[in-house]
Amino acid sequence: MPDRNITEHSNQLHQLLVSVSRHFYVQKNGMLKYQEKPVEVNIKNYPKSKKEHLVYYILRDHFSGSFVFEVTTTNFLIPLADFLYYGWSNGTEEKYLWGMPDFLYVPRLISSPELLAGLKRLGVEVLNPPSGFASGIRIVRDIEDQINFYVLVNTVDHRPENIARHKEKIYEYMLNLNFGDNKFKKWLDNLPAGHPKKTPEYKDFVKCFAAASGRAAGIPVVNPSPADEFTGLKKYVEKTVENEVFSSSNREFSAEKLRRAQELIYDAWEAESRQRRLYLARRALKISPYCADAYVLLAEESRDPQEVRELYEKGVQAGRLSLGDLFFKKNAGKFWLILETRPYMRALAGLADSLWKTGQRQQAIGHYKEMLRLNPNDNQGIRYILAACLLEEEMDDDLGALLNQYEGDISCFMHYNRALWSFRTSGGSNEQSDAYLAEALESNSHVPAYLLGKKKIPYCLPDYYALGSEEEAVIYAERAKKAWQKTPAALVWLARHLPE
């Protein structure tokens, strides 16, 4: 029997914890809410609460601190045998702990004769944890901090199901996987001979917990109808949510409902608080799932690249469905002048930007080209973004065609891009490329300082700019600096042509 505070190797002692959140609960709309004042609730008395609380299942190695966890709610509790099997089995899922321990701390609050008998049959000796189970309290607090950051702050999909998408980030932070104190590596490096002990097949594992109807406090010990094979914990933590606003809908299109939804988005754009903007966008989507601007607003409020892309994709889909294929055929070439097209065009611009940032560059370029086909007048300034993308991807023929299409453009964006394009395609410095560069320098003299690194490009870009202004230079340099850096001798050429 190990000392209550000292273990000598990995998998000697594991700690089981099932804790009802005192801060997080699920609202009627299915979204998580954080309550600053803690609620006096635990796994035994939670039925008295009128709220659906988050529940944390944690299995932690005492020696190394490595652990596995799952999050569900009080309405969808995971049978303890299933969670223990998940923690101890070594399946295909990436985990940071497996193999049965010699000893297991089981808090009295979740202990039951059925659970203890099953563990004894498996050869795992049960211990009661020290008073307070301090390490368990800390790990719950840290998990809640990460959920608050990754789900409530960084994303707009605040359903409890969204937590699963961020589990790897939570592990990475709490196990310090990229830093010196790597708890998982400590666990791996300190497994003694005979460990990790192999876990029986799921069917045999569950049979050890004979009483199918037994419960530990309010938690079932086993599933009353266990499967022959382990199918994971998704059935407990991934629920279908009625009126879920983040998935596409086949509801009949209504122009009046779309109009009402769009009015809410106009209000949302004026709202000062993020919480209010999210509320109005979700409400708009409940009125009409065809409201593309609702998806655009949600994407703008998210900091998660995957979620941003998915939301813009849904915005593009919603916008296209609301307009109809015939509309595209009849009005290509004059989009944006038609007010109804603007939500779709905003969504498509956002999607292209998110694809570019996540490395799907050819898809992004394709979307930018499509926007110019639909609206060659380019009220959104897409030609400037596309030119920078083509430069960086060294698509010189496409860039040449774009420059010819907008030959009369007087902004510094096109002047500097034309100069760099000419330098690259005509063999370097010559009369033509030098003339283009002179025109560029005349259009905005602030640009070279940012391209040459004499001035730093600010983290937050300006919202507005005037022709020839420093704000215009900052925006251009942020988009085009990599292309200038990738072009051999281009920056030397630029520096050589600066006035004394």
Side-chain angles (χ1 to χ4, degrees), residues 17-19 21 24 54-58 70-71 140 144 147:
L17 178 67
V18 181
S19 178
S21 177
F24 279 108
L54 284 190
V55 182
Y56 309 105
Y57 286 69
I58 301 164
E70 192 53 85
V71 183
V140 168
E144 291 207 324
I147 289 173

Side-chain angles (χ1 to χ4, degrees), residues 16-18 43 80 106-112 115 215-217 219:
L16 174 64
L17 178 67
V18 181
I43 199 64
L80 289 171
V106 177
R108 296 186 188 278
L109 201 60
I110 62 171
S111 183
S112 72
L115 177 64
R215 298 177 73 88
I219 314 173

Side-chain angles (χ1 to χ4, degrees), residues 343-461:
Y344 171 79
M345 296 293 276
R346 282 189 282 263
L348 192 56
L351 176 59
D353 179 66
S354 66
L355 288 168
W356 178 265
K357 289 177 179 177
T358 55
Q360 299 173 72
R361 296 188 162 192
Q362 289 305 310
Q363 286 181 261
I365 288 171
H367 288 317
Y368 286 134
K369 288 182 176 180
E370 171 66 3
M371 294 185 73
L372 293 181
R373 184 189 74 82
L374 293 171
N375 184 41
N377 286 334
D378 190 25
N379 309 74
Q380 294 170 279
I382 297 300
R383 60 189 180 275
Y384 305 137
I385 302 172
L386 177 59
C389 294
L390 295 173
L391 269 176
E392 193 168 336
E393 289 296 283
E394 300 180 359
M395 298 173 65
D396 293 331
D397 290 344
D398 293 71
L399 179 57
L402 183 67
L403 292 169
N404 286 335
Q405 182 180 353
Y406 296 98
E407 188 174 2
D409 192 297
I410 62 173
S411 72
C412 82
F413 299 93
M414 289 313 214
H415 279 304
Y416 276 94
N417 286 337
R418 183 175 283 107
L420 181 57
W421 170 80
S422 179
F423 180 83
R424 290 204 320 202
T425 58
S426 63
S429 179
N430 54 55
E431 185 176 347
Q432 183 64 75
S433 59
D434 290 354
Y436 284 145
L437 182 58
E439 291 176 357
L441 291 169
E442 186 177 350
S443 71
N444 193 313
S445 60
H446 301 288
V447 171
Y450 291 99
L451 292 179
L452 295 169
K454 294 179 181 179
K455 288 186 176 181
K456 289 186 177 181
I457 298 172
Y459 180 77
C460 294
L461 298 179

Side-chain angles (χ1 to χ4, degrees), residues 132-168:
F133 198 20
S135 61
I137 294 171
R138 285 197 302 271
I139 200 169
V140 168
R141 178 201 64 196
D142 292 343
I143 288 174
E144 291 207 324
D145 286 345
Q146 297 305 302
I147 289 173
N148 187 59
F149 177 75
Y150 285 117
V151 179
L152 295 194
V153 176
N154 269 20
T155 74
V156 296
D157 183 354
H158 296 167
R159 298 169 302 153
E161 294 90 331
N162 191 32
I163 296 171
R165 293 178 58 167
H166 303 280
K167 281 183 69 178
E168 192 56 37

